[in-house]
Amino acid sequence: MQRLSFAAEATEEACDAMLAPPVGGARHYLSNTERTWKFSVLMNHDMITNEKLALVGNCESLGNWQLSESVLMSKDEDEDSNVWSVSVQIPRERSTEYRYLVCAVDPDVGKPIVRRWETHLQPRQILELANEPPRQCYDIFGSLNGSEKVDRGWLSSERIVQLKFFNAPFIWKQRMKRRLLYVKVTPMNLRIPSNGLDNNMIACSISPLEDSLSNDTHDTKENGGDGGTAFAFSEVVVLNAEDSVIRPQSQFGTACGFDDLVIFHLTVGDFESTAYLIDLYTYSSKANTDDPPHHLGYHYVLPNLFKSSEGHLEVAITCASRHRPLGMMQFGYLIVKPVPSLNMDMSISYQRYWNDKWQGLDVGHRGSGTSFKANASSIRENTITSLKNAADHGADMVEFDVQLSKDLVPVIYHDFMIYVSLKSKNSLQEHDFLALPMRELTLEQLKNLKVYHTAEGQSREMRSFSNDDLQEHQPFPQLTDVLDAIDPHVGFNIEIKWSQRLQDGTMEEEFEHVVDRNLYVDCILDVVFRRAGKRHIVFSCFDPDICTMLRYKQNRYPVMFLTIGVTEKYKKYLDPRGNRIETAVFNSLAMELLGIVAHTEDLLRDPTQVNLVKNRGLVVFCWGDDNNSKDTIKMLKDLGLHAIIYDKMDVLASKEIKQSVFLLQAKDSQKELLKLQALEMGKMWHPSTQSSLNKA
């Protein structure tokens, strides 16, 4: 904290001799190969308590793109000014790249967290030997070359807690059922003196609520103290056409009506020492416009109630005036943790980047297509052979499904269930199969046992595939092997498989998950970050909370929300966010996803939904059996979809040049580079240049 204080309070004169230290770094002294540069930026975005501007870049004094070494800036002394600045020593004879970020530092942990940061594909740049701009000149946060690019941060040391209040989840007496409630959630500090209190006694350290209008009037202390507010950022988003942006909470909360989907988004520094005060307010029907609401009730949620990374809680509502039980409320929760093995830098982000040239891309479904349906592919789906075959026939991307084996190895497979033969016979009988969740077998078991697809186990008809004895045709390839085996210019659409609860209360998979949701996603991200290189990758999932995790656990790859929409073919999920394209759009905007992967059945029902997605600045892919038609593929491309996922790339693709758009783009870039090199060589050997060289 002392280092940050120095950086924030450093004067311009002091910085000329000894520069403001980076966050977590040491002081840096001038050398002959470096120069002092004053960075100034106008902050035209709203900032809240504990937020500060910082600077990060591609040299040692700017942290080498590491958040922990970023340089804190200080606000100009003029009260009317919103310009932040800092003087930093940068290299003299090479270009310096940099970005601005809004950060906050938990005084108890001492580690910075990213609130928002600039995400232009090309960062800001100071050219070699460039002159420092005049003192009155400054950058504008988020704005570069006429483009505005600012994204929320990712998790480094903090956690995200989301509380989901969908469709007025309150239970009480008849007279209250029609009352519109407003909910406010405040993180509360549980840190107490070392007096031996356990979790069952910890609520005693929080002052009881008075009959007040807002918890702003409670006996709390700013950012700490017994019973005080915790170091946290308490925000909310309402998924609707007018909002769908995470923003600070209002003083008297957010309406949670029967049609409302409200997510409280809480960024917490010390998860184990933070409780959550939920206040409920309501307005009298006779109240004037300016009248404050009635403080109806409250509840404290302690951290020990969160038994896993996700779940549902049913808690009592305590009357604010009489401190007696008033009713119940039910809400879902999600805990998002950082990935321990990942060290993200800030050099680049593709999370919401999509090139304008990437239109109507051809994406191979499970590689060369589904192989256990009528008119199915002759190559086994989700194998290296299937993926290679799609790539050989011009797939821009290949889509495949990833889930974990029992020993937590990411493997490529679609179905949650598999069948294992119990006897070695020439002909298998009805009781010679055992149905198992795929996740109950280790990688070695999956590779060595005789495993059958769900369709085979249910019909007792075994499929035979050409080259079935080859290793690359075997099911359950590891994600790491797929990343190594497929041409790096072929993009990957990696669908994360996660069983959800359906509207009728059943699970997609017969059994509940046994692996924690955070650990599940971490295992997959760890492999991708270690082996993906420069490959173009898009993550997707039908589970909206998995999408949220993928978005906030890393800062590099984009995430897309898979939807079933309005359909006659599939059961709806209990979570409403993926059951309509419109709601999926709102959720994608709120969580800053790249876009959605829509079910083509829904798009064919109402093609105007394509513009509904694109007009909100989102990318749209589509999936479904309806895509397996040349006419439908052409129609979808004409509608302006960014990518179409379909089977049998070798039959249905209409490309003349069987190469991915990313390979063609790389070749064009190589040609441009060769032209520039030839131009430079031409200048070197131009007669006037040669004459000058001879004179020298």
Side-chain angles (χ1 to χ4, degrees):
M1 191 64 185
Q2 187 175 0
R3 292 194 298 269
L4 294 174
S5 177
F6 175 86
E9 298 172 2
T11 63
E12 182 178 336
E13 290 77 17
C15 287
D16 286 339
M18 186 170 63
L19 277 300
V23 176
R27 291 186 174 96
H28 197 79
Y29 295 90
L30 291 171
S31 70
N32 292 331
T33 60
E34 296 175 312
R35 54 184 171 157
T36 300
W37 192 279
K38 183 175 181 179
F39 293 87
S40 296
V41 57
L42 172 65
M43 184 59 182
N44 53 8
H45 292 240
D46 292 336
M47 295 178 68
I48 58 179
T49 304
N50 292 318
E51 289 187 340
K52 298 181 182 295
L53 269 173
L55 181 67
V56 68
N58 68 339
C59 58
E60 183 180 356
S61 58
L62 293 179
N64 289 320
W65 295 121
Q66 295 298 308
L67 168 63
S68 60
E69 300 296 318
S70 55
V71 179
L72 204 62
M73 306 181 75
S74 58
K75 190 174 180 180
D76 287 2
E77 294 180 0
D78 184 354
E79 293 183 1
D80 296 329
S81 171
N82 208 13
V83 175
W84 295 65
S85 59
V86 69
S87 293
V88 179
Q89 188 178 349
I90 63 172
R92 184 183 299 276
E93 297 181 353
R94 69 178 176 89
S95 297
T96 298
E97 296 179 343
Y98 65 101
R99 302 180 189 274
Y100 294 109
L101 63 141
V102 177
C103 70
V105 180
D106 185 342
D108 295 299
V109 179
K111 295 182 179 179
I113 64 176
V114 181
R115 298 286 295 147
R116 299 181 296 285
W117 66 304
E118 297 181 325
T119 53
H120 305 86
L121 201 62
Q122 297 297 327
R124 299 179 185 274
Q125 189 176 44
I126 300 170
L127 297 177
E128 175 187 356
L129 301 178
N131 293 322
E132 187 173 351
R135 293 294 184 186
Q136 67 272 19
C137 293
Y138 45 75
D139 298 322
I140 299 176
F141 180 78
S143 180
L144 180 61
N145 299 326
S147 173
E148 179 88 7
K149 294 285 184 182
V150 176
D151 283 353
R152 296 180 72 87
W154 69 99
L155 294 177
S156 51
S157 60
E158 73 282 19
R159 296 188 190 182
I160 288 173
V161 177
Q162 290 192 342
L163 304 183
K164 296 170 285 186
F165 283 71
F166 292 172
N167 309 118
F170 309 105
I171 306 171
W172 37 35
K173 296 178 181 179
Q174 186 67 32
R175 66 183 180 85
M176 293 292 299
K177 285 189 175 180
R178 296 184 180 180
R179 188 71 63 91
L180 177 62
L181 294 188
Y182 290 73
V183 178
K184 185 174 183 180
V185 181
T186 306
M188 305 296 290
N189 190 359
L190 293 180
R191 294 191 192 97
I192 54 178
S194 55
N195 54 9
L197 293 182
D198 59 23
N199 273 342
N200 294 322
M201 302 171 64
I202 208 162
C204 299
S205 69
I206 308 176
S207 303
L209 283 172
E210 302 297 333
D211 186 15
S212 57
L213 294 175
S214 165
N215 57 53
D216 293 339
T217 64
H218 297 166
D219 183 17
T220 62
K221 298 179 182 179
E222 189 77 15
N223 291 327
D226 297 346
T229 54
F231 179 84
F233 294 92
S234 184
E235 299 169 294
V236 66
V237 60
V238 183
L239 305 184
N240 59 34
E242 290 74 36
D243 199 352
S244 295
V245 175
I246 297 175
R247 62 182 77 254
Q249 296 185 58
S250 301
Q251 181 182 6
F252 298 117
T254 302
C256 293
F258 293 104
D259 298 321
D260 293 327
L261 303 179
V262 181
I263 301 174
F264 293 91
H265 185 92
L266 314 164
T267 306
V268 180
D270 186 351
F271 175 78
E272 303 298 335
S273 299
T274 304
Y276 306 89
L277 169 60
I278 302 177
D279 282 311
L280 304 181
Y281 301 95
T282 186
Y283 287 86
S284 169
S285 59
K286 299 179 181 179
N288 295 322
T289 305
D290 297 331
D291 288 348
H294 171 62
H295 187 197
L296 184 65
Y298 66 92
H299 185 88
Y300 283 107
V301 177
L302 300 180
N304 63 337
L305 290 181
F306 300 124
K307 302 298 184 183
S308 63
S309 293
E310 50 87 25
H312 288 80
L313 295 177
E314 181 174 311
V315 299
I317 302 169
T318 301
C319 179
S321 58
R322 299 183 180 181
H323 305 298
R324 296 177 181 176
L326 184 65
M328 304 290 290
M329 56 183 166
Q330 301 170 329
F331 54 88
Y333 70 85
L334 175 70
I335 314 296
V336 189
K337 304 176 184 179
V339 186
S341 63
L342 300 189
N343 179 30
M344 251 80 61
D345 66 40
M346 303 182 72
S347 60
I348 198 166
S349 174
Y350 300 101
Q351 284 196 321
R352 289 203 287 177
Y353 172 75
W354 192 260
N355 193 308
D356 291 338
K357 297 179 181 179
W358 302 343
Q359 298 286 332
L361 303 191
D362 298 288
V363 183
H365 180 227
R366 305 184 196 175
S368 297
T370 305
S371 55
F372 294 97
K373 291 183 178 180
N375 301 316
S377 171
S378 60
I379 302 174
R380 187 189 297 272
E381 65 185 45
N382 277 326
T383 59
I384 291 177
T385 299
S386 182
L387 300 171
K388 280 186 173 181
N389 183 68
D392 290 342
H393 288 88
D396 299 303
M397 306 181 78
V398 287
E399 181 270 351
F400 54 84
D401 311 281
V402 175
Q403 47 188 314
L404 299 186
S405 62
K406 186 176 182 178
D407 47 348
L408 304 182
V409 179
V411 297
I412 315 303
Y413 199 73
H414 176 268
D415 288 31
F416 293 114
M417 301 295 292
I418 57 174
Y419 281 79
V420 180
S421 61
L422 300 179
K423 297 180 181 179
S424 178
K425 290 185 175 182
N426 292 330
S427 60
L428 293 169
Q429 303 300 316
E430 180 179 357
H431 299 294
D432 293 337
F433 285 102
L434 176 64
L436 290 173
M438 197 223 78
R439 57 176 169 78
E440 288 299 320
L441 297 179
T442 65
L443 177 65
E444 184 177 2
Q445 290 170 331
L446 289 170
K447 290 185 174 296
N448 293 330
L449 290 174
K450 187 64 176 178
V451 177
Y452 297 91
H453 187 269
T454 305
E456 295 176 303
Q458 293 173 346
S459 66
R460 313 303 168 189
E461 295 181 6
M462 306 300 107
R463 282 254 8 219
S464 60
F465 298 98
S466 58
N467 301 322
D468 213 5
D469 56 334
L470 297 180
Q471 183 60 37
E472 289 191 345
H473 201 94
Q474 297 304 306
F476 312 109
Q478 292 177 239
L479 176 58
T480 182
D481 293 336
V482 170
L483 285 163
D484 291 343
I486 308 302
D487 186 324
H489 292 104
V490 176
F492 280 3
N493 177 184
I494 302 177
E495 180 187 340
I496 310 299
K497 300 294 291 184
W498 185 267
S499 176
Q500 291 190 75
R501 192 168 297 280
L502 303 171
Q503 272 189 347
D504 61 10
T506 62
M507 296 290 292
E508 283 184 287
E509 180 186 4
E510 185 177 348
F511 306 97
E512 297 282 352
H513 289 283
V514 293
V515 178
D516 181 83
R517 188 186 285 255
N518 271 288
L519 176 60
Y520 191 95
V521 175
D522 291 354
C523 291
I524 296 170
L525 287 177
D526 179 73
V527 170
V528 171
F529 271 77
R530 283 191 292 106
R531 305 300 280 267
K534 297 183 179 180
R535 187 188 301 275
H536 293 273
I537 289 177
V538 173
F539 288 109
S540 64
C541 188
F542 281 102
D543 185 286
D545 288 337
I546 292 289
C547 290
T548 297
M549 285 185 155
L550 289 165
R551 163 61 181 85
Y552 286 106
K553 281 177 174 287
Q554 51 89 36
N555 67 0
R556 185 179 304 173
Y557 298 112
V559 182
M560 301 188 72
F561 184 17
L562 269 159
T563 71
I564 58 169
V566 178
T567 175
E568 300 294 330
K569 298 179 181 179
Y570 301 99
K571 295 180 179 179
K572 290 187 177 297
Y573 293 118
L574 181 63
D575 191 309
R577 286 175 284 178
N579 291 336
R580 291 173 56 238
I581 285 179
E582 186 178 36
T583 311
V585 166
F586 301 153
N587 186 71
S588 299
L589 290 170
M591 298 302 124
E592 293 192 350
L593 309 182
L594 178 66
I596 71 166
V597 187
H599 187 193
T600 300
E601 179 190 357
D602 199 8
L603 295 180
L604 295 177
R605 178 187 63 82
D606 181 7
T608 64
Q609 294 181 108
V610 175
N611 287 332
L612 170 70
V613 183
K614 296 181 67 177
N615 289 344
R616 300 302 292 266
L618 298 176
V619 171
V620 56
F621 290 13
C622 67
W623 67 279
D625 293 339
D626 293 300
N627 290 353
N628 296 325
S629 158
K630 287 187 176 182
D631 292 338
T632 303
I633 293 170
K634 182 180 184 305
M635 184 200 74
L636 292 168
K637 290 184 177 183
D638 291 342
L639 283 174
L641 270 81
H642 296 94
I644 297 91
I645 303 170
Y646 59 90
D647 295 336
K648 295 186 176 180
M649 191 69 58
D650 54 339
V651 175
L652 298 176
S654 58
K655 282 185 175 181
E656 294 183 4
I657 301 176
K658 304 297 185 182
Q659 294 178 343
S660 80
V661 65
F662 307 116
L663 176 59
L664 295 175
Q665 191 171 320
K667 288 182 176 179
D668 288 342
S669 298
Q670 184 67 22
K671 288 178 182 177
E672 291 298 320
L673 181 61
L674 292 174
K675 286 181 181 178
L676 288 174
Q677 290 176 343
L679 183 61
E680 290 299 320
M681 292 298 294
K683 289 180 179 179
M684 285 291 293
W685 296 107
H686 190 275
S688 61
T689 306
Q690 189 61 42
S691 175
S692 299
L693 290 173
N694 291 336
K695 290 180 181 179

